[in-house]
Amino acid sequence: DSGVTQTPKHLITATGQRVTLRCSPRSGDLSVYWYQQSLDQGLQFLIQYYNGEERAKGNILERFSAQQFPDLHSELNLSSLELGDSALYFCASSVGASGSMIDTQYFGPGTRLTVL
Amino acid sequence: ELKVEQNPLFLSMQEGKNYTIYCNYSTTSDRLYWYRQDPGKSLESLFVLLSNGAVKQEGRLMASLDTKARLSTLHITAAVHDLSATYFCAVDKLIFGTGTRLQVFP
């Protein structure tokens, strides 16, 4: 158990809908990262937050947004969903003393999103 | 555009043997990451390499980085079944390779 929790574990929704995925980092970790893993696109880094501020952006679509709250949990919002958004979404956390992305990341179990 | 290539994509090896997974990337980068993913599971961070010539070892796995060649290697020594997993490298702002699926058999 990495100490990172993600909810829900599974999510099934329809095209055009909006969903929110939640991630709670390990106690004391300041950085949260979001990743998408699909058969088509492989593993992609989406975005990193450090202590409430966006720190790095990867291949995140404009339909997707994220935020990190004062209690350091993070939410990934996916809107206007398309079939191709079906994937596993992982979050990870790290101590991130400087938000520099060089600390060991601890991954959550993932949320499996299915868009029908 | 930064591209990351891993080879081989699939590796089947016998227990006790040594092998190396290669990770090539197309533009300069000051950091390289290795991860492991067990089938149906989440990811696990293995190594972060930050400088040319960096070498890190954990158990039977050793990772190295040659920034001039834009190459990292993940060397497996005396493989055991528990090492069966998919291994990913990533560079820079976490651009991932396609992964190498390792299967270790008796």
Side-chain angles (χ1 to χ4, degrees):
Chain A
D1 183 358
S2 67
V4 179
T5 60
Q6 288 186 249
T7 56
K9 284 188 178 177
H10 302 277
L11 197 47
I12 301 174
T13 188
T15 55
Q17 295 298 305
R18 173 189 168 96
V19 297
T20 297
L21 313 184
R22 182 187 169 108
C23 171
S24 293
R26 293 188 323 153
S27 177
D29 284 359
L30 299 177
S31 272
V32 171
Y33 307 75
W34 285 98
Y35 299 84
Q36 180 197 59
Q37 186 174 33
S38 66
L39 286 175
D40 288 345
Q41 307 272 9
L43 193 51
Q44 294 196 95
F45 164 65
L46 298 178
I47 198 163
Q48 178 205 6
Y49 276 81
Y50 170 68
N51 204 20
E53 300 287 329
E54 181 185 306
R55 182 57 65 102
K57 219 171 198 178
N59 279 341
I60 188 165
L61 300 173
E62 284 191 10
R63 300 184 285 109
F64 296 1
S65 64
Q67 53 184 327
Q68 187 179 26
F69 294 86
D71 67 352
L72 300 177
H73 92 271
S74 179
E75 293 181 357
L76 179 67
N77 300 295
L78 315 176
S79 61
S80 303
L81 284 167
E82 301 176 359
L83 296 177
D85 298 328
S86 295
L88 264 172
Y89 291 85
F90 293 108
C91 80
S93 72
S94 70
V95 171
S98 62
S100 64
M101 301 170 79
I102 62 172
D103 303 300
T104 298
Q105 295 174 37
Y106 297 88
F107 286 81
T111 293
R112 181 172 291 280
L113 174 66
T114 303
V115 182
L116 302 175
Chain B
E1 182 190 344
L2 177 57
K3 291 186 179 178
V4 183
E5 291 184 352
Q6 284 183 241
N7 66 82
L9 297 182
F10 181 75
L11 177 56
S12 181
M13 58 189 297
Q14 196 171 19
E15 280 188 332
K17 299 291 187 184
N18 305 332
Y19 209 83
T20 301
I21 298 171
Y22 297 88
C23 174
N24 290 90
Y25 51 97
S26 59
T27 62
T28 55
S29 175
D30 63 354
R31 60 194 66 182
L32 188 130
Y33 309 80
W34 284 99
Y35 301 85
R36 168 185 171 141
Q37 186 176 35
D38 290 337
K41 303 285 187 182
S42 187
L43 289 149
E44 177 188 351
S45 290
L46 293 175
F47 304 108
V48 181
L49 303 167
L50 297 175
S51 61
N52 188 41
V55 177
K56 288 196 174 179
Q57 183 162 6
E58 180 74 36
R60 299 173 188 274
L61 300 177
M62 184 173 72
S64 65
L65 178 61
D66 181 343
T67 57
K68 292 178 183 177
R70 299 177 189 164
L71 171 69
S72 180
T73 60
L74 182 65
H75 187 72
I76 302 151
T77 302
V80 293
H81 184 260
D82 284 351
L83 290 178
S84 298
T86 298
Y87 293 85
F88 293 94
C89 66
V91 300
D92 196 47
K93 291 213 171 117
L94 298 172
I95 309 297
F96 282 84
T98 49
T100 295
R101 188 175 160 206
L102 172 65
Q103 198 165 46
V104 181
F105 60 91

